[in-house]
Amino acid sequence: MPKILTYIEAISEGLREEMRRDPSVFLLGEDIGAYGGAFKVTKGFIEEFGEKRVIDTVLAEAAIVGAAMGAAIVGMRPVAEMQFADFAANAFNQIVNNVAKFHYRTGVPVPMVLRLPSGGGVHGGPFHSVNPESWFLNVPGLKIVAPSTPADAKGLIKAAIRDPNPVLFLEHKYLYRHVKAEVPDADVIVPIGSADVKRPGTDITVLTYHTGVVWALEAAETLARERIDVEVIDLRSLAPLDTETILASVKKTGKVLILHEATLTGGIGGELAALVAEHAFEHLDAPVRRMASIDTPVPYAPPLEEFFLPNTEKVASALRSLAAY
Amino acid sequence: MANVDVVMPQLGESLTEGTIIKWHKKPGDKIRKDETLLEISTDKVDSEIPSPVSGVVTKLLFEEQKTVAVRTVIAVIDTDESAKVSAPAAAAATPSKAAPVAPAPAKQASAAPVPPAPTTAPASGRFYSPLVLNIAREEGIGMAELEQVPGTGEGGRVSKKDLISYVAARKQGGIHFGVPAAPPSPQAPRIESNLKHVDTGDLAKKYPAPQYDILQMSNVLIKMSEHMVKSVHTSPHVQAIHEVDMTRVDAARRKNAESFEKREGFKLTYTPFICDAVVKALKLFPLVNASVEGDKIIVKKFINLGIAVASENGLIVPVIKNAEEKNFIGLARAVNDLATRTRTKKLAIADIEGGTFTLTNYGVFGTMIGMPIINQPQVAILGTGAIEKRPVVINDAIAIRSIAYFTLSFDHRIVDGALGGSFLETIVKLLENFDDKQAI
């Protein structure tokens, strides 16, 4: 029986099911135990699984990641939480030099998950709103997933935990309680590296993920009334990319808008644009366009944050212009 | 000795005739190039016609108040100043001088009736996307044929859709490459007058003085009457009314008023702000910048923005040509230029023709909400009401804001509520979110 869950409930359920299934799975992070986590993802976990599997750590991200890696090397399956994705910067050396490279250097698997509550739109200001994917996209050895729906969140946290090597799980804070949808009750895994066509269309492809999926789907509904048929591809997995689904869609529509909430310059949009240009050039009927947050730190003031972020209207307007090209 | 024929100019493509109001020269008078030879009157505007050459006026072929078809020779000027006035027109001269000379717009118009030569392979400079070239290659469409495919994309670009529908029509036998389509009619059909002339004498019996005054309608009034009746018979008018918060625009206008006037020499009004928003919105919604012919929609790739102006002669709608190329300052200058020339009666016919969208500001008369009539053959008109301070609710607080009501009248043959409403809302958002920090 499928049930209706919020995005955050789906993550909790995925974690809980994996912990029940596999005793080697355990959680560690700041305030995740007695307090239930800053966002309450792990509320009730310490009661069910005990403090040896739901570990409250010191405020030291490098230590959290390092400890998780050590446990992974000896065969445990740790899921470490950064309270905010921004704080992963404090563990940067552990992540990019140790976690990402260890398997390549030694052949020993590092089956760990790093949960990164990401993104803005929740008035968190410059230190609590980052979308960190670009920090890590250029680090071979890290898989990066970024679900936009409760079902994908649950399916991907399960896939991440079962993956034999490190996965960064980017969970979007705005989506936590703004998105509510059906989640299959069964043990459904969403394979890492598979994109999903969230809305089929014929005129323009939107390549996006996380909040971008919400904006794109809303904009697509508006544009459907203007007889512009938009296809929305939810990447779900940023590393590796599902190039097959991406290119098939671009070849079908001939026009592409790349949309992400992370800031524009050096963002994954540039990578996607290059992919499309290299492999679908002869199928393009318009320049590849990008929409992203503007190149500043995330502002705190709500009107500034609204200006900073893309939104449904901005996306609709970019799509109209692309349709008219 | 060289005689130059002066013809009744065709000052706009919909005009077929003009009335000679006044000759400024008599036969025998010397005239310099560009000196006014005569005044003519057409649909809306009285124009002064300059002499195309310097010389001596030898013949005036029509009397004042005569209405003459365009391109009819109306006067002859001898460029040899010693020429005798009575001398008959000399036979030949150099072709360039003997050719009928008219002001530039007429040349353009007279060139139009010539059917275009079948296009073989002109380097049009049109851009074709990789996809379009790919489809063309697969369908066996050569460059020469591709050049003839009508484009509806940005700047007339042939989009994937254009080419696919072309290919579909071609497969159904609807298109035979090499046979050029009939050229579009060079002249818009002349509007037949729907006003019956009535004799003043008969009316005077029915409406005797001094209880009644009987006034002759001016040309402008007659034309306005015809246009308005034709428009309501042609277009199913639908109105959408949106409330606009003009506070930021007002702030920007006030803040920049002094420096702007000092720099530009005229006052900064609300009009360029609205024009700017309208032009931006039209770029996003090209179907509003269109006209209807039969079962076809003609989408204009340029924006000629008409601005209704009340003049002492009546309603006139001068047009900002290629408004899509103008920035805010450019629009402000164009508005000022047209307004000034409307007041000083210096408008040329070309200034009031070719509009693709019209703006009418009845707010200046205190009107809050109007229901404007579309200026044919356009498909929409924006009416702007008076801007007044009102209490409005923002984030559950009551604030004093400068509010106006904008009405979009649109032609529901091709513009539906979704498109009309989205278009108007875009204008509203552009004005409400106007960046009042930007330098003007």
Side-chain angles (χ1 to χ4, degrees):
Chain A
M1 272 295 285
K3 51 187 163 184
I4 306 288
L5 293 182
T6 60
Y7 181 93
I8 195 167
E9 287 165 347
I11 297 170
S12 299
E13 190 168 279
L15 287 171
R16 197 179 297 112
E17 286 179 15
E18 288 305 294
M19 290 181 77
R20 287 175 186 165
R21 183 186 61 79
D22 181 351
S24 70
V25 178
F26 74 99
L27 312 182
L28 68 168
E30 294 157 5
D31 287 331
I32 65 163
Y35 187 65
F39 299 99
K40 305 296 173 191
V41 173
T42 52
K43 191 179 171 200
F45 276 52
I46 199 164
E47 289 80 1
E48 179 174 352
F49 300 106
E51 55 189 27
K52 286 194 173 168
R53 293 185 71 195
V54 184
I55 301 170
D56 271 324
T57 66
V58 290
L59 300 187
E61 285 76 12
I64 297 171
V65 175
M69 180 181 163
I73 291 168
V74 298
M76 301 296 285
R77 290 192 176 259
V79 179
E81 177 184 299
M82 299 284 100
Q83 198 162 67
F84 287 84
D86 310 62
F87 307 160
N90 294 42
F92 201 68
N93 178 56
Q94 287 290 357
I95 299 169
V96 306
N97 280 323
N98 296 329
V99 171
K101 294 173 183 170
F102 194 81
H103 176 62
Y104 284 84
R105 190 160 175 251
T106 65
V108 176
V110 187
M112 63 175 281
V113 177
L114 198 55
R115 286 182 38 238
L116 301 169
S118 308
V122 289
H123 312 321
F127 302 119
H128 300 82
S129 303
V130 81
N131 289 288
E133 48 270 37
S134 271
W135 297 350
F136 302 114
L137 276 165
N138 198 231
V139 181
L142 298 175
K143 297 189 182 77
I144 305 174
V145 296
S148 73
T149 66
D152 288 345
K154 186 178 173 188
L156 278 168
I157 193 73
K158 281 169 172 275
I161 290 170
R162 295 183 199 186
D163 195 275
N165 269 303
V167 177
L168 306 190
F169 186 85
L170 271 49
E171 46 194 68
H172 200 288
K173 299 193 296 292
Y174 178 85
L175 300 176
Y176 271 165
R177 291 180 172 85
H178 278 93
V179 174
K180 200 169 189 179
E182 238 176 49
V183 176
D185 208 20
D187 187 26
V188 175
I189 307 284
V190 172
I192 294 173
S194 73
D196 186 36
V197 182
K198 285 286 190 288
R199 182 187 199 281
T202 55
D203 295 338
I204 306 175
T205 295
V206 182
L207 299 177
T208 189
Y209 56 96
H210 266 176
T211 41
V213 176
V214 176
W215 300 323
L217 288 173
E218 285 174 0
E221 284 311 306
T222 305
L223 292 183
R225 295 195 288 275
E226 297 166 26
R227 296 189 204 85
I228 300 169
D229 191 11
V230 178
E231 175 151 311
V232 180
I233 305 289
D234 181 359
L235 298 172
R236 298 198 296 198
S237 170
L238 309 185
L241 282 170
D242 182 353
T243 54
E244 201 178 311
T245 302
I246 293 168
L247 294 174
S249 175
V250 172
K251 287 175 184 178
K252 181 170 76 168
T253 63
K255 292 184 177 180
V256 188
L257 176 70
I258 297 164
L259 169 65
H260 55 70
E261 189 191 298
T263 50
L264 183 74
T265 303
I268 190 174
E271 183 60 32
L272 291 164
L275 175 81
V276 169
E278 277 186 84
H279 300 286
F281 179 71
E282 294 208 340
H283 300 271
L284 287 179
D285 196 32
V288 176
R289 298 219 168 124
R290 289 180 298 164
M291 175 171 281
S293 291
I294 59 174
D295 286 325
T296 69
V298 185
Y300 182 70
L304 289 181
E305 189 175 27
E306 196 185 321
F307 177 74
F308 165 88
L309 291 170
N311 61 30
T312 301
E313 272 174 38
K314 293 177 194 176
V315 172
S317 155
L319 287 170
R320 278 190 197 103
S321 139
L322 204 47
Y325 180 83
Chain B
M1 191 158 113
N3 282 309
V4 171
D5 292 340
V6 178
V7 301
M8 173 61 72
Q10 183 177 19
L11 292 183
E13 59 179 25
S14 70
L15 293 177
T16 56
E17 58 189 27
T19 302
I20 297 168
I21 298 294
K22 185 176 182 219
W23 288 108
H24 282 224
K25 298 286 173 183
K26 302 186 302 290
D29 285 353
K30 284 187 180 176
I31 189 162
R32 287 186 318 278
K33 186 170 189 287
D34 294 334
E35 196 182 344
T36 301
L37 176 59
L38 76 160
E39 282 174 44
I40 63 168
S41 168
T42 59
D43 267 11
K44 276 201 171 178
V45 173
D46 296 349
S47 264
E48 292 182 347
I49 303 302
S51 172
V53 291
S54 297
V56 176
V57 178
T58 54
K59 284 183 190 169
L60 301 180
L61 297 168
F62 294 93
E63 290 167 19
E64 291 176 357
Q65 305 310 321
K66 283 282 181 194
T67 299
V68 181
V70 298
R71 289 194 290 281
T72 306
V73 177
I74 53 174
V76 180
I77 296 172
D78 192 334
T79 56
D80 181 349
E81 296 199 7
S82 67
K84 286 194 169 63
V85 175
S86 56
T94 59
S96 65
K97 295 241 170 132
V101 182
K107 282 184 195 162
Q108 227 175 14
S110 62
V114 181
T119 317
T120 47
S124 67
R126 279 215 293 201
F127 167 76
Y128 299 104
S129 72
L131 178 63
V132 163
L133 291 175
N134 223 6
I135 297 171
R137 191 161 57 235
E138 277 167 21
E139 298 292 338
I141 296 170
M143 184 51 81
E145 184 173 1
L146 191 55
E147 291 275 350
Q148 288 206 346
V149 177
T152 65
E154 216 167 270
R157 189 185 74 92
V158 176
S159 68
K160 174 177 94 167
K161 277 189 177 168
D162 295 333
L163 188 53
I164 284 173
S165 46
Y166 175 85
V167 168
R170 191 175 183 250
K171 282 179 178 160
Q172 285 170 7
I175 293 170
H176 303 283
F177 174 59
V179 184
S185 165
Q187 293 191 354
R190 182 163 170 75
I191 303 159
E192 293 301 323
S193 174
N194 50 29
L195 295 186
K196 199 174 70 180
H197 176 74
V198 288
D199 197 59
T200 314
D202 296 342
L203 279 180
K205 287 176 199 154
K206 200 168 159 192
Y207 304 105
Q211 288 95 327
Y212 298 95
D213 271 341
I214 299 169
L215 307 174
Q216 173 58 42
M217 283 170 73
S218 68
N219 267 350
V220 169
L221 272 186
I222 290 171
K223 287 297 164 192
M224 180 172 81
S225 159
E226 289 173 346
H227 279 296
M228 294 301 105
V229 171
K230 175 175 179 263
S231 186
V232 289
H233 284 170
T234 303
S235 301
H237 281 63
V238 172
Q239 275 86 15
I241 299 171
H242 288 212
E243 187 178 89
V244 192
D245 185 340
M246 295 289 280
T247 309
R248 297 182 76 158
V249 166
D250 189 44
R253 195 185 63 84
R254 283 166 194 276
K255 201 178 76 183
N256 291 284
E258 203 175 315
S259 61
F260 183 93
E261 189 174 356
K262 203 167 165 192
R263 192 183 71 227
E264 298 292 333
F266 58 92
K267 281 191 169 21
L268 179 59
T269 66
Y270 292 105
T271 311
F273 293 91
I274 298 169
C275 290
D276 192 42
V278 166
V279 168
K280 283 174 177 156
L282 285 172
K283 286 179 185 171
L284 291 176
F285 298 91
L287 278 175
V288 183
N289 192 51
S291 58
V292 178
E293 280 199 40
D295 65 347
K296 300 289 184 292
I297 298 169
I298 315 297
V299 179
K300 315 284 169 64
K301 298 303 190 175
F302 47 88
I303 297 170
N304 289 348
L305 185 59
I307 298 177
V309 178
S311 77
E312 61 180 82
N313 287 342
L315 173 66
I316 292 192
V317 187
V319 173
I320 302 175
K321 294 283 163 65
N322 289 103
E324 81 280 5
E325 295 173 354
K326 296 193 184 336
N327 63 9
F328 183 88
I329 296 289
L331 288 169
R333 288 177 185 161
V335 168
N336 179 63
D337 170 55
L338 289 175
T340 307
R341 288 197 289 127
T342 304
R343 273 197 306 278
T344 55
K345 299 189 191 173
K346 295 279 190 216
L347 286 179
I349 289 280
D351 291 323
I352 61 160
E353 281 200 337
T356 61
F357 183 88
T358 298
L359 184 63
T360 176
N361 176 14
Y362 37 70
V364 292
F365 310 112
T367 304
M368 300 296 306
I369 295 175
M371 301 284 171
I373 295 176
I374 295 166
N375 189 6
Q376 296 294 329
Q378 300 162 25
V379 293
I381 181 168
L382 179 70
T384 58
I387 300 167
E388 301 211 333
K389 287 199 171 172
R390 292 184 188 288
V392 295
V393 177
I394 298 175
N395 291 341
D396 287 346
I398 295 172
I400 299 171
R401 308 290 287 182
S402 297
I403 299 294
Y405 295 103
F406 281 15
T407 305
L408 184 76
S409 287
F410 52 90
D411 184 338
H412 211 306
R413 286 180 302 169
I414 65 162
V415 181
D416 61 14
L419 175 56
S422 306
F423 171 73
L424 183 52
E425 186 61 9
T426 301
I427 293 173
V428 169
K429 285 285 173 280
L430 284 166
L431 290 168
E432 291 188 343
N433 297 328
F434 187 84
D435 179 6
D436 51 7
K437 301 285 186 299
Q438 82 179 56
I440 289 172

